Amino acid sequence: MNRHSARTALTVSGSVAMVLAAAAAGAEDAPTRLGEVTVTAQKRVEALADIPMSVSVLDGDTLARQQADSFQDLASLIPGLSLNSNSRGVTRVTMRGINTGGVASTIGVYVNDVPFGSSSGLANAAILSGDFDTFDMARIEVLRGPQGTLYGASALGGVIKYVANQPSTAGFEVRAQGSVEDVSGGEMGYALTGVVNVPMSDTVALRASGFHRSDGGYTRSIGNNPIPALQDPSVNIIDGTLVRDELNGSEVTGGRFSTLFRPSDSFSLDLAVHYQEISNDNSSVFEVDPMTFSPLYGGRVASRYHHEPADIEYRLYSATLDWAIGGVALQSVTSYSEFSHDFRLDAAVVDILGTGLGTAQLMTLFYSTPGTTDMLLSGVLDQLTATDKFTQEFRLVSPASDTFEWLLGAYYADEDSVIHQRAIAVEPGTGSPVASVPALADLSLTSAYQELAVFGNATWHVTDRFDLSFGARWSDNDQDAAQNALIILPILPGGQLALDFEDLKSSESPVTWSFSPRYEFNDRTSAYLRVATGFRPGGPNVLPPGAPAPASYDSDELTNYELGLRTGNASGSFSLDVAAFFLDWEDIQLLQVVNGFGINANGGTAESRGLEFTATARSGGLSLTFSGAYTDAELTEDTDPLVGGFDGDALPFVPEWTLALGGDYEWSAFGDATAYVGGQVAYTGDRPAGFGNRIDPMDPTSPRREAGSYTTVDLRAGVLWQNWSLELYGKNVTDEDGITDIIAPGIFPNGAGALSLIRPRTLGLAFGLRF
């Protein structure tokens, strides 16, 4: 067997999805289908088994069959992926345990080769990872471990890459599907999806897809207790206002339009527009006893004065050029993206200014008229977080070779971000602003980030069995920031306080590298070693001139040591992918308070060690997949005392064990129809809350709160016949209460804490057509 066919035979290893895709194609067709798995993880098209790193691939058929359209659905399918979230689109994604909280992301998210989100630490990128809908995606590639060489900043833990289906000149295609689903204890939901591919000629094709999902809400609000009485008995405080069932429904709407121009095998140009909007009625947070986590009001019940809606929008525009010139490919990726997160918080009882009083108390105290009996004052906090980003990447890629392959690239990014907050008075009954009452606070943080980088990667095929891959990247970034704040309160001198911090700057030039030897023992078994580094950019701190705190913070750096093994049998009916890793994290970026100023700072070290595996087996129409990850991630040095982390503390929201066992069985039902049944059992272990989320906040050695382990069961069955399909599915059919977020006491009435849980039992029916 020659080099390339030998490697192709190994491509099944590491992919949860491929066995399931093979079952959908029919057992007799499986070995051929499995051998065709290719990815673009290293920015060139190559067989999965050629890549000396841990990679999982979920193909589009698998995503559709398992109704996996969000981060929460992906978590059980990707070993080592963990989430911290309380609503769709507001999610902290972690791989290999790389998480200490903070505002800068540790995971890179891409749509094709377009980076999503802010690279700086001033735009809340850590919790605003791109939760892209998976409809009409060819596959999702998940690269574990730091990817600093090829993907640059903010990819310490890895990269999640959504690869969309391209337009095709091969033929006309139309697909559509509609589904309805019932949520336990909530309202009905539905989804509509559709895609059309139109070949305009032998060289031009258009593809347009669209989707709309309405997810039923399942929490409710009982209103709120009266705001604690003020000293002035003449001021009457209005009772709770928001009473509603099915509180946290959401809608996801979007689509993609792309045009492919391919006049020859050596030239292609792809123009694409991707749009998505996520509208959440309210978060899924509800109040609990902070010690026992028992619901305070009987189930998933919140106490709200006001709605807490959120609107999230993604807009991505890209032009991708691939031009082979004399055997070398010139690749250009130009992109412009816009992201916004516009939301409202119920701030009626939140102490924003540190006075010991909630906003409703402050507003009522200072803006009410003595003797008034029906004063309608309460408070909300409106916030907009937005980032506009332009990127340009050029690459020169060598042709495939049995001796030496290389890639050289240059990258430029220019992004502008803003965080704008306003604390305003509203009427408790309607939420309408009170025109006669000025904003309690109006704060704006603007920032700009520019990056220039050059990088290279190469693979030397020393022998037919032994490869050496290596790469490096030099980056230079410059950042500017400014903050303007206006706080209006009669107790302040002059009735207001204005703060303006301008012209805050930082600059740095980090270097990352990777080195990976790989050896094939035979046509079915290979092993690799990978040493690689990654970083997050530092940046300026938003401080007044001369403030007694650091004016900037540095990039942190992570070094990954990984040993992997891929193997399988000659028939392709069994495969195993195992990777062991050790990560050394230095100069960790943490949120701190120094001399009274909240800042980003570097402090402490951490390590993460563990094991990831995926095993697949197939016999006839039966396919099984067993996957999991063990992660031991902890601080190896105390943080700043105000952060609350100590040497040996586990890193936040990282389960020690995640396991998943899934299977599908497919058979010929009648005529040329195919039927299938399948399911998955997934286990998520205990996860500690943040360092400061301790049972006794006055005792830094007190135990941290912890999210308990849980096990979910998903089931599915369907019939595929000619141009239509009928599918029945159930998610979390045992109705497990898996915790996804823990909020310490402090912002809720009556000293309550709060939780967010995974979606309750959901049963659905889907009908699809294809032409």
Side-chain angles (χ1 to χ4, degrees):
M1 183 178 289
N2 63 36
R3 170 180 298 278
H4 293 292
S5 61
R7 290 179 176 177
T8 301
L10 290 169
T11 56
V12 62
S13 299
S15 173
V16 175
M18 294 305 108
V19 166
L20 300 180
E28 69 282 357
D29 193 37
T32 302
R33 290 286 298 248
L34 291 169
E36 294 173 354
V37 180
T38 58
V39 294
T40 56
Q42 296 193 123
K43 299 195 173 181
R44 65 159 69 231
V45 178
E46 56 192 336
L48 175 62
D50 285 1
I51 300 176
M53 73 176 79
S54 180
V55 179
S56 285
V57 181
L58 299 172
D59 78 341
D61 290 339
T62 300
L63 294 168
R65 177 169 289 193
Q66 302 206 22
Q67 305 293 326
D69 57 66
S70 67
F71 274 143
Q72 187 177 121
D73 297 325
L74 297 179
S76 63
L77 300 175
I78 301 172
L81 180 71
S82 54
L83 307 177
N84 181 200
S85 175
N86 59 45
S87 60
R88 179 157 182 171
V90 185
T91 304
R92 186 186 299 274
V93 182
T94 301
M95 284 196 284
R96 290 190 168 174
I98 302 306
N99 176 34
T100 57
V103 294
S105 179
T106 63
I107 297 295
V109 175
Y110 282 71
V111 177
N112 294 334
D113 282 333
V114 177
F116 172 83
S118 174
S119 298
S120 80
L122 299 174
N124 290 345
I127 61 171
L128 298 176
S129 302
D131 195 351
F132 288 94
D133 195 278
T134 62
F135 177 67
D136 200 35
M137 291 292 172
R139 62 186 179 275
I140 296 176
E141 301 176 9
V142 181
L143 292 62
R144 299 185 188 86
Q147 306 295 324
T149 301
L150 289 177
Y151 292 91
S154 302
L156 279 80
V159 165
I160 299 175
K161 187 174 183 179
Y162 295 84
V163 181
N165 283 313
Q166 277 195 322
S168 173
T169 59
F172 181 79
E173 177 192 6
V174 175
R175 283 189 290 124
Q177 179 174 281
S179 64
V180 293
E181 57 183 37
D182 177 68
V183 180
S184 176
E187 60 185 337
M188 297 289 292
Y190 66 91
L192 298 171
T193 61
V195 60
V196 58
N197 182 89
V198 182
M200 305 300 292
S201 68
D202 292 340
T203 60
V204 178
L206 307 178
R207 190 178 188 91
S209 63
F211 53 86
H212 177 78
R213 304 183 193 275
S214 179
D215 295 331
Y218 50 85
T219 64
R220 62 189 181 94
S221 173
I222 58 171
N224 206 310
N225 296 325
I227 302 174
L230 302 177
Q231 296 299 318
D232 186 350
S234 64
V235 179
N236 181 44
I237 309 299
I238 302 302
D239 203 344
T241 59
L242 180 60
V243 178
R244 180 182 157 187
D245 292 334
E246 301 158 350
L247 186 69
N248 64 324
S250 65
E251 294 189 350
V252 182
T253 303
R256 178 180 173 86
F257 179 81
S258 54
T259 302
L260 176 67
F261 174 53
R262 182 176 286 157
S264 69
D265 292 339
S266 61
F267 183 92
S268 69
L269 176 63
D270 189 332
L271 305 177
V273 178
H274 190 114
Y275 172 81
Q276 181 170 317
E277 180 178 4
I278 303 172
S279 298
N280 297 314
D281 288 345
N282 288 269
S283 75
S284 59
V285 167
F286 63 95
E287 284 102 310
V288 297
D289 183 293
M291 299 295 293
T292 66
F293 286 173
S294 298
L296 289 182
Y297 310 115
R300 303 186 190 208
V301 181
S303 61
R304 294 282 187 273
Y305 275 92
H306 305 288
H307 281 289
E308 295 186 320
D311 289 307
I312 299 171
E313 289 191 10
Y314 309 150
R315 294 184 179 91
L316 285 76
Y317 311 88
S318 65
T320 303
L321 171 73
D322 194 334
W323 187 10
I325 308 172
V328 175
L330 169 63
Q331 298 174 348
S332 170
V333 182
T334 307
S335 76
Y336 176 74
S337 60
E338 297 176 340
F339 164 80
S340 65
H341 177 213
D342 193 353
F343 66 95
R344 168 170 287 189
L345 290 179
D346 179 0
V349 293
V350 176
D351 179 11
I352 296 177
L353 303 179
T355 61
L357 301 174
T359 57
Q361 291 173 285
L362 286 167
M363 291 176 182
T364 304
L365 178 62
F366 297 117
Y367 297 115
S368 61
T369 303
T372 299
T373 58
D374 60 352
M375 187 66 183
L376 297 179
L377 285 181
S378 191
V380 297
L381 178 68
D382 286 342
Q383 177 169 322
L384 170 67
T385 303
T387 295
D388 297 344
K389 185 170 187 172
F390 170 81
T391 69
Q392 174 64 59
E393 182 166 302
F394 292 108
R395 299 191 295 265
L396 292 175
V397 182
S398 73
S401 170
D402 285 337
T403 55
F404 191 75
E405 297 168 324
W406 54 266
L407 178 152
L408 295 174
Y411 173 81
Y412 173 75
D414 185 352
E415 65 180 61
D416 296 294
S417 299
V418 63
I419 299 177
H420 186 201
Q421 295 178 329
R422 296 183 75 238
I424 60 176
V426 296
E427 298 174 354
T430 65
S432 300
V434 181
S436 61
V437 178
L440 188 64
D442 194 325
L443 306 95
S444 178
L445 169 62
T446 58
S447 60
Y449 176 94
Q450 288 187 328
E451 179 184 348
L452 178 65
V454 291
F455 59 93
N457 196 67
T459 299
W460 176 26
H461 304 298
V462 182
T463 71
D464 286 346
R465 297 292 188 187
F466 182 55
D467 304 335
L468 284 176
S469 296
F470 44 90
R473 185 185 190 102
W474 172 85
S475 303
D476 179 80
N477 70 73
D478 296 288
Q479 299 184 59
D480 297 275
Q483 178 170 291
N484 306 104
L486 180 63
I487 300 173
I488 300 175
L489 214 58
I491 59 174
L492 297 173
Q496 66 180 38
L497 173 65
L499 301 172
D500 296 297
F501 311 149
E502 304 286 349
D503 203 29
L504 309 168
K505 297 181 179 296
S506 73
S507 180
E508 60 178 359
S509 300
V511 174
T512 54
W513 54 271
S514 64
F515 176 73
S516 305
R518 175 181 172 277
Y519 184 74
E520 290 184 2
F521 296 97
N522 54 49
D523 292 343
R524 298 174 300 278
T525 303
S526 66
Y528 65 86
L529 171 68
R530 182 172 190 258
V531 184
T533 63
F535 77 101
R536 284 185 298 181
N541 276 312
V542 182
L543 298 167
S552 63
Y553 60 101
D554 297 327
S555 60
D556 51 3
E557 182 174 327
L558 185 144
T559 304
N560 173 88
Y561 305 89
E562 179 179 333
L563 181 64
L565 173 71
R566 292 185 174 109
T567 189
N569 60 6
S571 68
S573 62
F574 173 77
S575 67
L576 174 67
D577 186 347
V578 181
F581 62 86
F582 174 80
L583 280 65
D584 184 14
W585 196 1
E586 298 179 346
D587 296 326
I588 298 172
Q589 293 177 10
L590 297 165
L591 285 173
Q592 296 185 10
V593 179
V594 178
N595 298 315
F597 294 96
I599 63 169
N600 287 310
N602 301 95
T605 58
E607 294 177 351
S608 180
R609 58 189 63 82
L611 182 75
E612 301 148 347
F613 67 89
T614 300
T616 59
R618 183 184 63 253
S619 177
L622 175 67
S623 61
L624 297 172
T625 301
F626 181 46
S627 62
Y630 167 78
T631 307
D632 178 15
E634 62 182 19
L635 292 175
T636 53
E637 188 176 292
D638 292 351
T639 69
D640 183 278
L642 292 169
V643 175
F646 297 91
D647 185 0
D649 276 357
L651 298 188
F653 261 88
V654 177
E656 190 173 38
W657 280 102
T658 58
L659 299 168
L661 174 63
D664 276 69
Y665 180 70
E666 192 164 298
W667 70 96
S668 297
F670 54 87
D672 57 356
T674 301
Y676 73 88
V677 293
Q680 177 177 269
V681 179
Y683 168 81
T684 300
D686 298 339
R687 291 139 294 140
F691 298 124
N693 197 336
R694 299 187 181 273
I695 294 176
D696 183 356
M698 304 305 295
D699 180 4
T701 64
S702 173
R704 291 150 63 190
R705 292 178 174 84
E706 187 173 80
S709 62
Y710 64 93
T711 301
T712 58
V713 178
D714 297 341
L715 299 174
R716 53 189 173 270
V719 177
L720 315 174
W721 184 54
Q722 295 182 355
N723 296 330
W724 62 268
S725 64
L726 184 65
E727 300 171 275
L728 176 67
Y729 61 91
K731 297 181 181 181
N732 188 18
V733 295
T734 56
D735 210 11
E736 283 283 295
D737 290 337
I739 296 174
T740 60
D741 197 12
I742 301 173
I743 302 175
I747 65 172
F748 296 99
N750 306 316
L755 297 178
S756 181
L757 305 179
I758 63 173
R759 196 165 179 78
R761 178 177 59 246
T762 301
L763 304 178
L765 180 67
F767 177 75
L769 293 172
R770 183 168 190 162
F771 301 99

